[in-house]
Amino acid sequence: MNRRPSLLESFACHALLVAGVAFALYPVLWVIALAFSGTQTPTPRVLPIPSQPTLEHLTAVVGATRKVGDATVWLFGRQLMNSVLVALATAAVGVTIAIPSAYALARFRFVGKEAGVRTMLATQMFPAVAAAVPLYLILSHLGLLNSRTGLVVCYASTSVPFSIFQLRAAFEAIPVDLEEAAMVDGATRFSAFLRVVLPAARPAIAVTALFAFMSAYNEFILAATLLDKEEMFTLPVMLQRYIGEYDAQWDKFAAGALVVSLPVMALFYVLQRNLVAGLTAGGVKG
């Protein structure tokens, strides 16, 4: 019989949880305070409360425009579109290629399987910045510099191996008996894969896609190296422009950071049900 926690234990547990949440949220509150403060220079204080509250920094970042030829381009909107499209395409390419590859590694035996897995693991040991120069030369030869397609190609080269490793473990955790039961009932292996394995692996696929999206959405070094047109910048490169060599516009940087985080927060909200679901939930529901 489980013992009920005492009042003191319950209070201590909740106090620790509140302290942990406060510790995690304190930097975020400082960003919010800087974004909505009218003062130009951050002042040290215990409580991050906006001083002289204003929306000026937020509107300056979101409403940024630039003349391109005879047209006026909404710069922030273009950069936001660049980031979201590149991140979505990277996640889609990574997951689409990784699903059949991971399933084959998890279910079949073939020549070169272990060597291929070790080779993919070896590619994950090198930072992406180490390949910046070769990637720049390849994209320059292909004419893909300053393009979203070039960024997707670069990001997919790292998201595909990561996604394969993630999904391989997920497919291995799904009992083979589920597929065999479906095939006994007349389903082909491909049909069993579509109707049994994929629904069971849906939470893992959602998590993998989310990580691929976030890694591409937040990446800075390759984007700053491969892009030199302001209207083609992604949001991390845009934010870096507010921190110069001799001055730093912390107010606009904080305002931009808040807006940049909104798509990721929205994606977390949409995928929250899959993030907490069990890996085999789809295979045991009647």
Side-chain angles (χ1 to χ4, degrees), residues 7-8 38 63 115 131 142 165 206 233 237 243 265 271:
L7 183 61
L8 181 60
L142 296 175
F165 277 107
F233 284 170
V237 182
I243 309 299
M265 294 172 60
L271 296 178

Side-chain angles (χ1 to χ4, degrees), residues 3-19:
R3 183 179 67 89
R4 249 182 105 98
S6 65
L7 183 61
L8 181 60
E9 291 174 338
S10 179
F11 176 80
C13 180
H14 283 79
L16 287 175
L17 291 175
V18 170

Side-chain angles (χ1 to χ4, degrees), residues 67-248:
K67 292 284 289 185
V68 178
D70 297 330
T72 300
V73 176
W74 181 32
L75 201 56
F76 180 83
R78 179 71 66 86
Q79 293 163 347
L80 175 62
M81 182 181 68
N82 293 337
S83 288
V84 172
L85 289 180
V86 167
L88 286 175
T90 300
V93 170
V95 171
T96 302
I97 296 177
I99 286 176
S101 304
Y103 181 76
L105 290 173
R107 289 289 190 264
F108 305 130
R109 292 184 179 180
F110 50 87
V111 178
K113 172 182 174 180
E114 296 301 326
V117 171
R118 293 192 188 99
T119 302
M120 281 194 301
L121 181 61
T123 63
Q124 301 301 293
M125 298 179 183
F126 298 94
V129 67
V133 174
L135 288 174
Y136 184 93
L137 295 176
I138 292 173
L139 294 184
S140 177
H141 180 72
L142 296 175
L144 294 177
L145 289 177
N146 288 308
S147 69
R148 291 187 287 265
T149 304
L151 275 185
V152 172
V153 171
C154 293
Y155 294 162
S157 65
T158 57
S159 71
V160 168
F162 169 79
S163 300
I164 289 176
F165 277 107
Q166 287 285 103
L167 294 179
R168 180 195 180 192
F171 289 140
E172 288 177 344
I174 298 173
V176 182
D177 297 343
L178 294 177
E179 294 175 74
E180 293 176 347
M183 287 188 284
V184 167
D185 291 337
T188 62
R189 176 172 286 276
F190 183 70
S191 178
F193 171 72
L194 290 180
R195 297 176 181 274
V196 177
V197 177
L198 281 186
R202 185 172 56 187
I205 295 173
V207 171
T208 303
L210 179 61
F211 279 124
F213 179 92
M214 290 179 59
S215 63
Y217 188 79
N218 295 324
E219 201 280 330
F220 166 74
I221 295 177
L222 287 179
T225 303
L226 302 175
L227 304 174
D228 58 16
K229 294 181 180 179
E230 197 171 9
E231 62 271 16
M232 294 304 301
F233 284 170
T234 56
L235 292 177
V237 182
M238 177 273 292
L239 285 179
Q240 188 269 340
R241 295 290 163 149
Y242 291 114
I243 309 299
E245 184 177 359
Y246 301 105
D247 65 339

